[in-house]
Amino acid sequence: MYVELWCEEQFNKLDLGPPDFSQQESLAPHIGLLVEAFTHINEPDSIYGITLANEVASQIIRYEHEGNWSSALEYYDLLVRSTPKENLANFAGTVLTGPSVSSKAEENLLNWKMHKGLMRSLQKTGCSHVLDIYSQGLTNQKACLQQDSEFVDIQYEAAWRAGNWDFSFFVPYSSQPSSRSRDYCLFNENLHSCLRALQNGDSEQFQGKLSHSKMDLVLALSNASKESTKYIHSTVLKLQMLDHLSMAWELRWKFCPDQAPKSNVGTEEFNLVPAVPKRNQLELLSKEWNFILCQTERNLDLFEPFLAFRRGLLKILGSEEHLIEHLFQSASALRKGLRFSLAAASLYELKELCCHRDQQTVPSTYFLSKLEEAKLLRAQGQHDMAIGLGKYILKNHTDERNKSDVYRLVGKWLAETRSSNSRTIIEDYLNHSVALDKKYMSRQCRTHFHLAHYTYNLFKSYEERLSSNEWQAALRLRKYKTKELDTLLKRLKNSSKAEKSDYGAKIQELQKQLALDREEAQKIQDDRDEFLSLALEGYQRSLVVGGKYDLQVVFRLVSLWFNLFSRKQVVDSMIKTTKEVQSY
């Protein structure tokens, strides 16, 4: 509100001012304030309205906002390369979103925050080894970095993500709470300590760090603005991580099958030998996880740290079966969230884990990992490779239950890339998927819908072709050829012997052309009617066997019925549909 008032006074209207395309690489002060505000109150669309210039700062803000961390990394690297070494320790002021810099803006702009931005980009792209080496280099170069709490927190986060429990960072100010930044309660340092204590069975350290971290988070939550929803959600998720830690402690160090319900952490004796929990003992932890997954999976920036945390937790608990399931979930969620490098890392870890498993469990796991890999290739734009891998899976695996998914996906990808003709896609892939899914009622709805959706689009394309100007011109040409043939036939009767030979050749050529034209037209109309019939049948079956696509299918069927009410096949199909589909 205050920025708006300032803009009205400065520009005599409610306007941010003209975009700045000068050599100045920093954001204007009022733009910087708005960027900082909008990123904290979870107002994503406004970012595009205020970063209109092409300076590097605006580019980085947009890349980070869109989750394009690879491009952000490139720009941060550009800025860090351009930063004079003497500015590395210049922590004062802001870089991307703050007051204007001194007259030597180009020299002073690229300071320490750029290094932290580069570190954050490395972490987001999954380059953990490069991040570790880079952090060590910065620490050796500038000892004063040990006094920056955000730098320490980034390193501890990298350590617990990598499962590096031997990591420790000497912080000379640790006994002086006043020197810590109010923005960072060093959550990742406490989380690293808790996970290490869970690994080693250090009850005293576990309880102390857990309690301290909870108090810090609750205090931060109580002081947070209610408009800062992004920050509040992140803090709540951190509290849920700590809750999972408490449950994991009970499973690893406190579980006794013949004992009464357990008391609080650290109040009773525990076995020195850690226990590996069984599947039924992890039910409560899995239930809590599934609840969080449903609540947060659409917000990957919020959800991704929990994915990494749960992976580390399951590794400590030694539950390989749950870890395999989690890696599948992680790869799928990260792929859908366009974090391809992290998804590939999950799949790679999954493959390595399968190599050490019992040979009897490997085939199905390997099959599913290959299918997820094909989906990832397709999401990255490598369509031909994804289709090739899908065909390889169909050829080399005999798991009928999951094969229907592969047939459906390969058919869908072939249709999207137009890599094969429609007959091959329907007969060799989509129909196979429908046939295999007859054994598994729960998946029939999806396969019928995808077949119907594809054939409906084919029907639509044929309808558009039959009503196009080119088709109308072809009809007029055929009509003209028919008239010409009739004229030649009449002339043939009254012609001389020499003329009959010429007329005969022309008539034969015209008859051949007209026969081909009629054959093509009939085939197109027959194909159109067949695709319409398949679409109507597929939509009807998807309504009968399931309810996942009800809203889309009902309106699509009604639309087809009203637009094509004069066609007998549509009317007959709708009569059948109304008899078989539930009235609601």
Side-chain angles (χ1 to χ4, degrees), residues 324-372:
I324 287 174
E325 291 178 7
H326 176 73
L327 289 171
F328 273 127
Q329 285 182 326
S330 298
S332 177
L334 292 165
R335 168 178 55 81
K336 291 173 183 175
L338 308 182
R339 302 283 279 276
F340 300 137
S341 58
L342 293 178
S346 293
L347 284 175
Y348 183 79
E349 186 176 351
L350 179 63
K351 287 179 184 178
E352 287 202 321
L353 193 61
C354 290
C355 290
H356 300 93
R357 294 277 291 173
D358 183 1
Q359 291 299 317
Q360 293 180 352
T361 63
V362 169
S364 60
T365 305
Y366 180 76
F367 170 87
L368 292 171
S369 66
K370 281 292 182 186
L371 180 56
E372 184 58 41

Side-chain angles (χ1 to χ4, degrees), residues 187-298:
F187 167 78
N188 287 298
E189 179 185 352
N190 291 331
L191 182 61
H192 180 271
S193 299
C194 286
L195 286 167
R196 180 169 57 193
L198 178 65
Q199 169 84 4
N200 300 329
D202 189 338
S203 174
E204 185 178 351
Q205 186 188 38
F206 183 85
Q207 185 179 8
K209 290 290 186 179
L210 190 70
S211 301
H212 179 68
S213 191
K214 282 182 177 179
M215 284 191 291
D216 279 347
L217 290 172
V218 171
L219 180 63
L221 203 57
S222 65
N223 293 328
S225 165
K226 291 180 181 178
E227 289 184 337
S228 302
T229 54
K230 190 174 182 180
Y231 174 77
I232 290 173
H233 290 161
S234 175
T235 307
V236 170
L237 207 67
K238 288 174 181 176
L239 285 168
Q240 289 174 320
M241 286 184 188
L242 299 180
D243 185 46
H244 276 232
L245 269 174
S246 298
M247 290 189 282
W249 178 275
E250 295 290 338
L251 290 169
R252 181 168 172 78
W253 295 105
K254 305 285 286 183
F255 178 74
C256 297
D258 301 325
Q259 208 173 35
K262 319 297 181 298
S263 59
N264 292 332
V265 173
T267 60
E268 62 180 67
E269 294 293 329
F270 56 85
N271 295 324
L272 292 177
V273 179
V276 177
K278 297 178 181 178
R279 187 174 186 87
N280 62 330
Q281 295 164 5
L282 287 164
E283 282 183 1
L284 179 59
L285 200 64
S286 298
K287 184 179 178 182
E288 290 291 324
W289 159 252
N290 289 327
F291 174 76
I292 294 168
L293 179 65
C294 292
Q295 296 293 319
T296 59
E297 65 178 341
R298 293 186 180 181

Side-chain angles (χ1 to χ4, degrees), residues 35-76:
V35 167
E36 192 168 1
F38 286 136
T39 52
H40 277 77
I41 63 172
N42 201 23
E43 179 64 30
D45 294 337
S46 299
I47 297 293
Y48 295 105
I50 58 178
T51 54
L52 300 175
N54 68 332
E55 64 265 359
V56 175
S58 292
Q59 300 273 21
I60 288 176
I61 289 166
R62 282 196 291 270
Y63 286 140
E64 289 187 343
H65 172 63
E66 294 167 353
N68 188 355
W69 292 102
S70 296
S71 297
L73 177 62
E74 292 173 9
Y75 273 84
Y76 275 125

Side-chain angles (χ1 to χ4, degrees), residues 407-421:
Y407 275 116
R408 178 180 58 81
L409 288 171
V410 173
K412 178 183 174 184
W413 297 340
L414 285 169
E416 287 174 353
T417 56
R418 302 190 179 188
S419 306
S420 187
N421 66 65

Side-chain angles (χ1 to χ4, degrees), residues 515-528:
L516 289 172
D517 288 344
R518 290 193 190 98
E519 186 181 342
E520 182 191 7
Q522 189 60 47
K523 186 176 185 306
I524 289 174
Q525 290 172 2
D526 290 344
D527 286 346
R528 178 200 62 184

